Amino acid sequence: MALSMHTNYASLVTQNTLNNTSNLLNTAMERLSTGYRINSAADDAAGLQISNRLEAQTRGMSVAMRNSQDGISMLQTAEGAFDEATNILYRMNDLATQSANGTNTTADQAALDKEFTELNAELNNIVTNTKYAGDTLITGAGIKAGGVTLQIGSSSSETLDFATTIDGDVTTAHTQLATTVQALDISTTAGASGAMDALATAIDEVGAARATLGANINRLDHTITNLGNMVENTSAAKGRIMDADFAVESSSMTKNQMLMQAGTTVLSQTNQLPGMAMSLLR
């Protein structure tokens, strides 16, 4: 190339190379300082869009896990109430069976009926005052007045509708405890005999409700496990897109630092080329 005063081609090439090296060095240092490979859309536009979708899915599934755990807590509260109701029904059935025996006097039956009545009052208390987060849990329409839907996934279609799984059995059990059993009287032999049949039915209905609640609790346990697996693997996929590889970026930073040093030295030398042209005029 001709020796020129106006255009120092070697210097321009060196400056351009230094600018590119500087950009690469800044990128490597930014990734090392943030820990992310993608710090702006310009770094990887498609990768950013993909990672955003994965992040939204991961966050949604994490919330769904908490939703499922809350659902389990609510169902366990209801199942615990029915468990105690079952114990009370057992005792009431014992009293009815005892009262139905012909050896009892009227006074004996009246005494048995007193305990029976108090147990009935406690059954009514369980049905009325078992609450979760301030809402009555066991109602004539199902759990929390019926129609509760748990959001157990990151999409709107991933739900558990109690109307189709739980409410029917809870409604039947509620009717038995709040209506049928409340009307029983064991102060007479005939009343005690009829109470035995009614209590046997109530025990079966409450047991069915408990079985349904237990089945859904087990289902939610599996839901949580599956969500945890999806969160784990989706997070790993997002990490492969977003996270910086420190080994690669450290190597890149070291390489570009050396290139910057070499380029700066060469630039200093290329800037001296016009001075060589001046020496020809001496």
Side-chain angles (χ1 to χ4, degrees), residues 6 9 25 68 79 87 137 140 152 154 167 175 219 229 235 262:
H6 292 289
Y9 179 76
L25 178 60
S68 299
E79 198 277 327
N87 293 331
L137 198 53
I152 57 173
S154 59
D167 287 345
T175 301
R219 173 183 174 177
N229 173 66
S235 297

Side-chain angles (χ1 to χ4, degrees), residues 1 20 25 31 40 81 108 114 142 152 182 185 198 206 218 240 242 254:
M1 172 174 284
N20 290 334
L25 178 60
R31 289 174 175 174
S40 69
D108 292 335
K114 285 183 179 180
I152 57 173
Q182 293 297 315
D185 182 351
V206 172
N218 288 338
R240 285 190 290 270
M242 287 292 296
T254 301

Side-chain angles (χ1 to χ4, degrees), residues 110-191:
L112 291 169
D113 190 55
K114 285 183 179 180
E115 183 180 352
F116 190 90
T117 300
E118 290 304 316
L119 292 175
N120 231 337
E122 182 54 29
L123 275 183
N124 185 64
N125 179 59
I126 289 174
V127 170
T128 304
N129 294 318
T130 299
K131 300 182 186 301
Y132 184 83
D135 290 337
T136 300
L137 198 53
I138 302 170
T139 73
I143 294 293
K144 290 183 64 174
V148 173
T149 299
L150 295 185
Q151 183 64 47
I152 57 173
S154 59
S155 65
S156 60
S157 62
E158 296 173 83
T159 60
L160 174 56
D161 186 359
F162 287 174
T164 60
T165 60
I166 295 176
D167 287 345
D169 288 332
V170 170
T171 297
T172 302
H174 176 276
T175 301
Q176 289 290 331
L177 297 177
T179 305
T180 304
V181 175
Q182 293 297 315
L184 299 179
D185 182 351
I186 64 168
S187 61
T188 66
T189 301

Side-chain angles (χ1 to χ4, degrees), residues 38-49 52:
I38 302 175
N39 291 285
S40 69
D43 292 334
D44 185 348
L48 179 66
Q49 179 68 358
N52 284 344

Side-chain angles (χ1 to χ4, degrees), residues 67-78:
N67 290 348
S68 299
Q69 289 163 346
D70 289 341
I72 288 176
S73 296
M74 182 174 68
L75 295 182
Q76 285 176 332
T77 302

Side-chain angles (χ1 to χ4, degrees), residues 12-30 249 251-267:
L12 294 175
V13 170
T14 304
Q15 290 178 48
N16 185 52
T17 301
L18 272 174
N19 285 333
N20 290 334
T21 303
S22 177
N23 289 335
L24 292 173
L25 178 60
N26 289 337
T27 297
M29 295 180 71
E30 180 183 31
E249 299 304 333
S251 175
S252 177
M253 182 182 70
T254 301
K255 179 189 72 174
N256 288 305
Q257 283 176 332
M258 295 177 64
L259 288 173
M260 283 289 293
Q261 293 172 0
T264 301
T265 300
V266 171
L267 179 62

